[in-house]
Amino acid sequence: MSASPLAAIGFRPRHLLGIEGLSAGEISLLLDLSDSYVEQNRERGKKSTLLRGRTIINLFFENSTRTRTSFELAGKRLGGDVVNMSAEVSSIKKGETMTDTATTLNAMLPDVLIVRHPDSGAVKLLSEKVDCAVINAGDGTHEHPTQALLDALAIRRHKKRLQGLLVAICGDILHSRVARSNIHLLSTMGARVRVVGPPTLMPARIEAMGVEVFHDMKKGLEGVDIVMMLRLQTERMQGNFVPSVREYFRLYGLDYDKLKAAKPDALIMHPGPMNRGVEIDSEVADDVDRSLIREQVELGVAVRMACLDVLTRDLLASNSNGGGAA
Amino acid sequence: MRLPEGAIAGRTPGGRGGPPLAYVNARLLDPATKLDTLGGLIVRDGLIADLGPHLAKPGALAALGVEAIDCAGACLAPGLIDIRVQLREPGEEHKETISTASEAAAAGGVTTMVALPNTRPAIDDAALVESVARLARETSLVRVETYAAVTRGLNGKEMTEFGLLAGAGALGYTDGTHATTDAQLLRRALSYAKVFGKPVIQHPEEPGLARGAMNEGEISTRLGIPGTTAFAEIIQVERDLRLAELTGGRIHFSCVTTAEALRAIRDAKARGVGVTCDTAAHYFALNELAVGDYRTFAKVSPPLRREEDRRAVVAALQDGTIDAIVSDHAPHDQDSKRLPFAQAAFGTVGLETLLPVSLELVHKGELDLLEVLALLTVKPAKLLGLPDGRLAKGGHADLVLFDPAAPWKIDAKELTSKSKNSAFDGHLTQGRVKRTVAGGLTVHQA
């Protein structure tokens, strides 16, 4: 991968803190690169040496199994050294712990910090305290950029495009960083986005982000190419946003009946982990012809490899000044 | 008040017991009498002995043998009366003390601070009012007054001893940065406070709705920050106006920020309801965009609102709906602000930036200089029954000398306040305090 054309194209940001602000070109670049890593991952020998000698720290202030594992695999398949750290946020002062932890880790000279935090903006705050590249693995209800990238990759591999597609994002939009990142990405790439859910789970003035709002599931799914379900994040519920799970499933759970409103070839996605019988019916979730849910997980690793690749590229280039390509 | 550095009791010109001192060649500005003229002012014994155009030239004073300071045409106005300041002493001296707040006040031309009772412990007892007064006498460079809590320990449940508190010098009653929400309790507080002729000062946010960290809208949605709807303010204000109407008591809303709440107050004033209100400088100088990329210094309560609301605040300053401008000085240390946005403390320091930021209204042609000064001096003073905030013979020689045109890029690090959490960090303003005089003595000189 030496003397990559990517270096010439350039990926401006030093960190990946969110999708907002990325250009269509930068997003395409990441997706193209991800495609090549999908191929690498499907080979028997999955490992390359691109990040040999590089240190990647997974710093998770919030529980996560799949995202952390996905990043860990991504780092290891590129030959980097990956360290996992879960910091307990419940202890005394969350923020103090966070900035202190950041400064401490920074002193160990990592090349990439991958951070998840329950507060919006926390990853950006942390990025100001360190010298290495930072990847946002989800901050509060703000952004989860790698999830949006892997969703886009899954869509693009099946529909061969993003431009002009009609995508419905359904469920708990209010608490969803996945929804926000997807809205930014899909709109930037020329897709049309609808958000579907009860008014109590809609953020204020969400239409200002360029989406159409629906409170009726069937109307919202009419003619869409992609149905993107969100987890009903019960752990974030501070009040009674919906009266009961039973009622929620009746009105907003994805089943075959509601799915009939979508295009016949509409695909179903879910960022996981799923609450079967809450936001999605098991049969729909497991429908091999319609559901991309398992593939999303696979593509996640490739997308994260691409992100690690572009964010370390500058370092590699500058370190190899005067010498051979790394 | 403590003596400023270099002053000697009974000896320093202008101060009590000292020789007289004159300020000449000044643009005298007194909003109470609409005086705006080139002239001079003589200070004797901490009081204003004389003032007017006849004292314009140093020569006029030579005959009297008075030491004169040439103001070189700068504006000389009554010192500012800031009726909403959080002093943090007692209890949070690592953020601010009465002494450090008074230094910040002096640097900002503020000669009277009225303190919120939200200290630790809260000022809910006559003995505590007296202890603040004593601390102020010993450590403050400027005058310090205080409100007392409406309820014990600001708990929102049991009323404090309004009569004893008033007797000890409390200027009004407020639960500080939280609204007094129990309608029956507020009704009684408004009724009972009438006996002492004091207002109840209300924070205009319905707490059930005001759980967010910034204004609810497009930007909060983008940033993923829980928002507080403007209706939290409107609902609290509308309800409390009815309670003021019911009781015939006096309510004062502090830090009003929304077009609709201001409309409700305007209408209530027209109906004869006993209501007054203020806003803080950041509510007409900034809007929600100042939150930008999670800037916690711009996290204030109520939150910075939409541009439409900011413009409504300016309009309400113009038409007299708003009676005073406050700093809402809320010092916080780094540990309270260098946090993810939702976790950071509410508030901005403001004593030192109050005057220049308020002068933006003049520079933009929205209000004239005397109108802005009235909102910073005589109007808030009158509202709380204070005699100051005017240039009057026999009155306290509390003065601010300033250059309204001097450019200043505010740098939070350079502020005098113990805490540096200014929402105006990096803000470009015009207007700088050259000298502040309290009780006849110079407490700040640029």
Side-chain angles (χ1 to χ4, degrees):
Chain A
M1 296 288 293
S2 61
S4 156
L6 286 173
I9 297 167
F11 181 81
R12 293 166 306 141
R14 193 174 144 233
H15 307 297
L16 182 65
L17 300 177
I19 298 293
E20 188 174 18
L22 291 187
S23 66
E26 282 161 341
I27 291 167
S28 296
L29 181 93
L30 284 170
L31 296 180
D32 294 347
L33 192 56
S34 300
D35 269 327
S36 74
Y37 282 119
V38 173
E39 301 316 311
Q40 179 182 325
N41 286 339
R42 285 178 182 173
E43 282 162 23
R44 185 182 285 264
K46 298 177 171 59
K47 204 157 168 171
S48 67
T49 57
L50 184 73
L51 295 186
R52 190 168 57 195
R54 303 276 155 193
T55 307
I56 298 155
I57 301 180
N58 260 330
L59 178 57
F60 278 59
F61 292 93
E62 193 181 71
N63 282 337
S64 152
T65 314
R66 67 175 64 206
T67 306
R68 203 204 60 216
T69 311
S70 181
F71 270 111
E72 186 176 350
L73 274 178
K76 286 182 169 163
R77 285 190 185 162
L78 290 174
D81 299 316
V82 186
V83 181
N84 287 318
M85 275 201 59
S86 354
E88 264 306 316
V89 261
S90 56
S91 60
I92 341 160
K93 267 192 173 176
K94 298 175 190 176
E96 209 170 64
T97 311
M98 187 197 75
T99 41
D100 286 351
T101 311
T103 331
T104 308
L105 292 181
N106 190 49
M108 300 178 191
L109 308 175
D111 297 287
V112 185
L113 261 180
I114 295 155
V115 188
R116 169 169 287 192
H117 196 282
D119 284 308
S120 303
V123 179
K124 177 182 184 287
L125 181 65
L126 189 143
S127 74
E128 292 161 2
K129 306 264 171 198
V130 299
D131 305 310
C132 63
V134 174
I135 297 179
N136 180 1
D139 64 324
T141 57
H142 176 224
E143 283 232 41
H144 189 356
T146 54
Q147 179 71 43
L149 286 164
L150 76 88
D151 289 343
L153 184 67
I155 297 171
R156 203 178 72 164
R157 286 171 71 91
H158 283 267
K159 299 287 183 189
K160 308 298 170 210
R161 65 191 167 108
L162 294 169
Q163 172 92 34
L165 292 179
L166 189 56
V167 181
I169 306 177
C170 310
D172 183 359
I173 312 289
L174 180 64
H175 296 105
S176 179
R177 53 195 174 211
V178 174
R180 284 172 178 77
S181 287
N182 266 308
I183 291 168
H184 288 306
L185 190 149
L186 292 166
S187 324
T188 305
M189 301 308 288
R192 283 162 56 208
V193 182
R194 292 176 177 178
V195 289
V196 187
T200 46
L201 292 175
M202 278 299 163
R205 303 256 312 128
I206 183 76
E207 63 280 3
M209 288 176 75
V211 298
E212 266 186 286
V213 181
F214 289 82
H215 302 305
D216 181 296
M217 188 80 168
K218 278 190 179 171
K219 283 184 187 149
L221 294 190
E222 222 167 77
V224 302
D225 299 286
I226 304 289
V227 183
M228 207 178 258
M229 299 306 297
L230 297 173
R231 177 181 169 81
L232 182 65
Q233 295 173 343
T234 41
E235 75 270 17
R236 287 231 182 83
M237 298 286 168
Q238 288 172 346
N240 283 320
F241 291 90
V242 290
S244 73
V245 164
R246 184 171 72 165
E247 179 161 313
Y248 184 79
F249 183 70
R250 180 77 61 83
L251 297 175
Y252 298 101
L254 184 66
D255 54 22
Y256 278 118
D257 180 48
K258 298 192 188 84
L259 189 57
K260 274 191 281 186
K263 279 193 187 155
D265 63 347
L267 297 170
I268 299 148
M269 306 176 72
H270 193 298
M274 282 184 285
N275 293 309
R276 292 168 184 267
V278 178
E279 70 264 352
I280 190 160
D281 183 74
S282 266
E283 275 187 65
V284 178
D286 298 333
D287 185 333
V288 286
D289 299 323
R290 310 288 296 272
S291 169
L292 298 184
I293 297 170
R294 278 179 56 191
E295 192 177 338
Q296 283 173 276
V297 179
E298 182 201 342
L299 300 183
V301 179
V303 158
R304 285 161 185 136
M305 289 165 81
C307 294
L308 288 169
D309 180 349
V310 294
L311 290 177
T312 50
R313 191 119 340 191
D314 269 347
L315 290 171
L316 295 171
S318 62
N319 285 1
S320 61
N321 267 352
Chain B
M1 291 187 282
R2 75 166 142 111
L3 283 176
E5 213 172 307
I8 303 162
R11 300 272 294 279
T12 301
R16 220 187 292 173
L21 177 67
Y23 293 91
V24 297
N25 192 19
R27 180 178 170 193
L28 295 178
L29 289 157
D30 181 32
T33 56
K34 304 229 163 34
L35 174 77
D36 182 353
T37 180
L38 196 72
L41 183 148
I42 300 179
V43 178
R44 182 183 294 130
D45 248 352
L47 304 175
I48 297 174
D50 195 10
L51 77 157
H54 61 287
L55 301 170
K57 295 288 172 234
L61 298 156
L64 299 169
V66 173
E67 183 184 333
I69 290 168
D70 186 348
C71 300
C75 295
L76 188 65
L80 311 189
I81 313 269
D82 186 351
I83 63 169
R84 191 179 177 87
V85 177
Q86 302 186 46
L87 292 178
R88 304 281 186 244
E89 185 177 7
E92 290 180 284
E93 288 85 353
H94 60 292
K95 294 184 175 180
E96 193 84 284
T97 64
I98 291 178
S99 173
T100 58
S102 81
E103 286 160 15
V110 174
T111 54
T112 300
M113 301 188 278
V114 184
L116 285 192
N118 63 339
T119 46
R120 293 178 193 167
I123 309 303
D124 59 359
D125 187 280
L128 287 160
V129 174
E130 282 158 7
S131 101
V132 168
R134 183 178 49 76
L135 268 170
R137 271 197 306 278
E138 289 168 3
T139 68
S140 177
L141 286 172
V142 302
R143 278 171 228 287
V144 176
E145 303 283 348
T146 186
Y147 300 114
V150 175
T151 59
R152 288 177 202 278
L154 310 173
N155 68 6
K157 295 191 181 93
E158 311 144 71
M159 257 170 74
T160 54
E161 297 163 312
F162 280 19
L164 299 180
L165 289 161
L171 297 183
Y173 312 98
T174 178
D175 277 348
T177 55
H178 294 282
T180 307
T181 47
D182 184 319
Q184 183 68 284
L185 189 139
L186 183 58
R187 175 190 179 182
R188 290 188 180 133
L190 285 163
S191 295
Y192 194 58
K194 286 196 291 183
V195 180
F196 315 103
K198 310 280 183 211
V200 173
I201 292 93
Q202 179 72 314
H203 178 83
E205 282 196 302
E206 203 289 313
L209 288 170
R211 289 182 185 164
M214 68 173 294
N215 187 45
E216 180 177 291
E218 185 183 344
I219 297 171
S220 68
T221 289
R222 249 172 218 281
L223 295 175
I225 293 174
T228 287
T229 167
F231 280 84
E233 177 173 308
I234 299 156
I235 287 168
Q236 190 70 51
V237 167
E238 286 186 338
R239 186 200 75 169
D240 295 346
L241 285 170
R242 292 300 177 184
L243 291 174
E245 199 171 353
L246 173 66
T247 56
R250 273 178 62 203
I251 194 158
H252 176 84
F253 295 103
S254 201
C255 294
V256 183
T257 66
T258 62
E260 283 302 310
L262 287 163
R263 187 200 310 266
I265 292 167
R266 189 178 291 124
D267 293 349
K269 280 186 165 185
R271 286 205 309 277
V273 177
V275 58
T276 50
C277 71
D278 67 56
T279 197
H282 35 277
Y283 297 117
F284 57 77
L286 302 174
N287 63 24
E288 60 184 346
L289 290 170
V291 170
D293 225 354
Y294 304 100
R295 282 187 67 226
T296 59
F297 283 4
K299 181 178 176 181
V300 290
S301 165
L304 297 174
R305 302 287 186 188
R306 299 173 309 161
E307 173 60 13
E308 293 92 311
D309 288 305
R310 189 198 67 78
R311 283 206 296 263
V313 170
V314 173
L317 288 164
Q318 288 169 326
D319 72 13
T321 302
I322 294 176
D323 302 277
I325 297 171
V326 300
S327 70
D328 196 23
H329 185 73
H332 284 295
D333 57 353
Q334 286 214 359
D335 287 347
S336 310
K337 279 290 193 182
R338 281 258 170 95
L339 288 172
F341 199 88
Q343 289 181 37
F346 286 102
T348 170
V349 291
L351 283 164
E352 288 158 84
T353 50
L354 179 61
L355 181 63
V357 173
S358 298
L359 288 175
E360 285 180 15
L361 296 163
V362 179
H363 299 308
K364 288 181 181 166
E366 290 163 340
L367 274 86
D368 69 36
L369 185 53
L370 280 175
E371 285 170 332
V372 167
L373 288 174
L375 288 159
L376 291 166
T377 57
V378 66
K379 284 186 168 183
K382 261 192 197 161
L383 209 145
L384 296 176
L386 295 170
D388 299 322
R390 49 180 77 215
L391 298 183
K393 272 187 213 175
H396 288 138
D398 292 356
L399 309 166
V400 57
L401 183 70
F402 64 97
D403 174 355
W408 181 25
K409 183 176 180 187
I410 295 168
D411 180 351
K413 288 194 299 294
E414 288 172 6
L415 295 177
T416 310
S417 174
K418 198 165 193 173
S419 294
K420 314 294 181 192
N421 56 302
S422 173
F424 295 108
D425 190 22
H427 199 75
L428 298 167
T429 59
Q430 267 184 286
R432 286 218 82 167
V433 173
K434 293 165 77 85
R435 181 191 287 260
T436 305
V437 176
L441 296 173
T442 296
V443 291
H444 169 81
Q445 197 172 348

